[in-house]
């Protein structure tokens, strides 16, 4: 059993989450004693504000020396990840705050010595090997991390707590949700670390995120620029500088990638695919698709159906 999420053991060994405590709590006029857990703790601020004080590694402050005291003012929509065995306390003033807490460690999965099958690899082990952000995050131990959340972490954390309440601390879904939680935290941490990037690069990243979330709508360049609070002409210039293409071309490529997925993997009528990817004119959709793939939508779907049929035929055993 290990208490910290940091270290290479997640990639090297088959660990699964071990949950110790999880709860919602509303605080007001409260000053907690300094304490520490032999587990990692996530404290998510749902509403209000609070103060978290963290003591030095030895758990003691020298007389009247507050320079070693780390203080975090946690705001609504922020969360803190406190590593195992870090002394800390919570202070809440007159204004109430509401929090969602999770305390967890990691337990080693029992594996037969002779077994080397892929099924012995845990979900966490696979994710650390595949998700660069997660591997980087756990390789850099920190006493605590404070991150602002666009609610992605909150919804995952809330779903995990609900699953733990309704089912079991060892259910497969709780393990999947925990893995998703770590990945989302790691990605937020990466974005936080990359906040030192130039302003232009941030505008490009934000506009790409906006396009990926809204490609199914009939959005224009003006709307993309408004989403990141810059002038359309400026966004056009910095986007082309950093990506080698224009926002419009990037959006069209994104839409055609989604269209190829829908044509190849679903039975949605070809006439409706244009609406699914935010292209209002079906004629224009056909022109874009042929430019992107070299085929008409009908030819592409026929080709994919033929490919799937040939694959199934080859996999069927001969009689």
């Amino acid at each position: 059993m290990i208490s910290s999420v940091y270290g290479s053991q997640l990639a090297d060994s088959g660990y699964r989450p071990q949950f110790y405590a999880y709860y919602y709590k509303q605080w007001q006029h409260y000053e907690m004693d300094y304490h520490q857990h032999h587990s990692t703790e996530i404290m998510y601020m749902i509403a209000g504000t609070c103060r978290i004080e963290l003591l030095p590694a030895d758990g003691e402050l020298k007389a009247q020396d507050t320079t070693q005291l780390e203080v975090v003012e946690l705001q609504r929509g922020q969360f803190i990840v406190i590593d195992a065995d870090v002394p800390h306390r919570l202070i809440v003033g007159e204004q109430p705050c509401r929090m969602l807490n999770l305390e967890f460690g990691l337990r080693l999965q029992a594996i037969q010595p002779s077994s080397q099958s892929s099924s012995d690899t845990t979900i966490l082990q696979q994710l650390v090997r595949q998700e660069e952000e997660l591997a980087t995050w756990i390789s850099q131990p920190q006493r605590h991390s404070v991150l602002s959340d666009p609610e992605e972490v909150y919804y995952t954390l809330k779903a995990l707590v609900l699953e733990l309440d309704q089912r079991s601390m060892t259910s497969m879904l709780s393990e999947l949700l925990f893995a998703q939680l770590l990945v989302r935290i790691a990605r937020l941490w990466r974005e936080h670390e990359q906040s030192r990037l130039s302003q232009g690069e941030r505008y490009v990243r934000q506009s790409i995120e906006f396009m990926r979330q809204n490609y199914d709508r009939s959005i224009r360049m003006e709307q993309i620029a408004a989403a990141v609070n810059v002038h359309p002409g400026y966004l056009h210039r910095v986007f082309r500088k950093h990506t080698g293409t224009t926002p419009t071309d990037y959006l069209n490529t994104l839409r055609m990638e989604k269209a190829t997925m829908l044509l190849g993997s679903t039975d949605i009528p070809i006439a409706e695919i244009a609406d699914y990817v935010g292209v209002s004119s079906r004629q224009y959709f056909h022109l874009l698709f042929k430019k992107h793939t070299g085929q008409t939508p009908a030819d592409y779907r026929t080709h994919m159906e033929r490919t799937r049929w040939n694959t199934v035929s080859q996999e069927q055993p001969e009689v």
Side-chain angles (χ1 to χ4, degrees), residues 113-301:
S114 59
S115 174
Q116 298 295 328
S117 68
S118 59
S119 61
D120 292 331
T121 305
T122 65
I123 295 170
L124 290 177
Q125 205 169 356
Q126 294 177 52
L127 275 177
V128 172
R129 294 173 180 175
Q130 295 175 12
E131 292 281 341
E132 180 183 352
E133 296 94 340
L134 182 56
T136 303
W137 178 54
I138 66 172
S139 69
Q140 301 184 35
Q142 302 159 76
R143 299 183 76 238
H144 74 278
S145 298
V146 178
L147 298 168
S148 296
D149 176 39
E151 295 195 334
E152 295 177 357
V153 167
Y154 176 59
Y155 287 126
T156 306
L157 181 59
K158 186 166 66 170
L160 172 58
V161 168
L162 181 62
E163 173 66 17
L164 294 174
D165 268 336
Q166 294 182 340
R167 301 292 179 180
S168 164
M169 288 195 181
T170 58
S171 73
M172 178 60 73
L173 182 54
S174 66
E175 187 172 342
L176 287 168
L177 287 168
F178 177 76
Q180 182 183 3
L181 177 66
L182 291 191
V183 170
R184 293 199 179 280
I185 291 175
R187 289 177 178 177
L188 277 181
W189 176 82
R190 177 204 61 185
E191 291 177 7
H192 176 73
E193 292 298 301
Q194 290 179 337
S195 62
R196 301 181 184 88
L197 294 174
S198 72
Q199 192 175 46
E201 289 175 302
R202 287 200 298 274
Y203 289 146
V204 170
R205 176 167 52 83
Q206 290 169 357
S207 60
I208 287 175
E209 290 177 358
F210 178 80
M211 286 188 278
R212 288 191 173 276
Q213 294 171 9
N214 295 276
Y215 67 86
D216 61 311
R217 301 166 53 210
S218 183
I219 54 175
R220 302 184 305 277
M221 181 66 192
E222 291 78 10
Q223 292 170 293
I224 300 171
V228 296
N229 297 314
V230 296
H231 188 276
Y234 174 74
L235 179 61
H236 186 278
R237 290 194 300 274
V238 297
F239 197 99
R240 187 160 197 165
K241 175 183 176 182
H242 290 288
T243 67
T245 188
T246 67
T248 302
D249 287 342
Y250 182 94
L251 179 59
N252 285 336
T253 299
L254 174 63
R255 284 170 165 163
M256 294 307 101
E257 288 173 353
K258 300 297 182 181
T260 57
M261 181 270 291
L262 293 172
L263 286 166
S265 305
T266 74
D267 295 324
I268 298 172
I270 293 176
E272 297 178 15
I273 297 289
D275 293 332
Y276 276 75
V277 297
V279 181
S280 56
S281 166
R282 292 175 184 173
Q283 182 179 5
Y284 183 54
F285 169 71
H286 278 251
L287 289 173
L288 280 177
F289 192 87
K290 189 164 186 180
K291 179 182 178 181
H292 182 75
T293 65
Q295 298 176 287
T296 66
D299 289 342
Y300 181 83
R301 174 163 276 178

Side-chain angles (χ1 to χ4, degrees), residues 7-52:
S8 62
Q9 61 271 3
L10 280 184
D12 300 335
S13 305
Y15 281 93
R16 296 185 184 280
Q18 177 73 48
F19 302 104
Y20 297 111
Y22 50 93
Y23 54 88
Y24 289 90
K25 178 64 177 173
Q26 182 129 335
W27 307 90
Q28 188 176 16
H29 297 300
Y30 185 78
E31 188 169 313
M32 187 179 290
D33 293 333
Y34 282 110
H35 65 288
Q36 60 194 65
H37 314 279
H38 195 54
S39 58
T40 302
E41 181 176 16
I42 297 175
M43 304 170 69
Y44 192 104
M45 183 64 64
I46 301 172
T49 62
C50 75
R51 176 186 176 99
I52 300 170

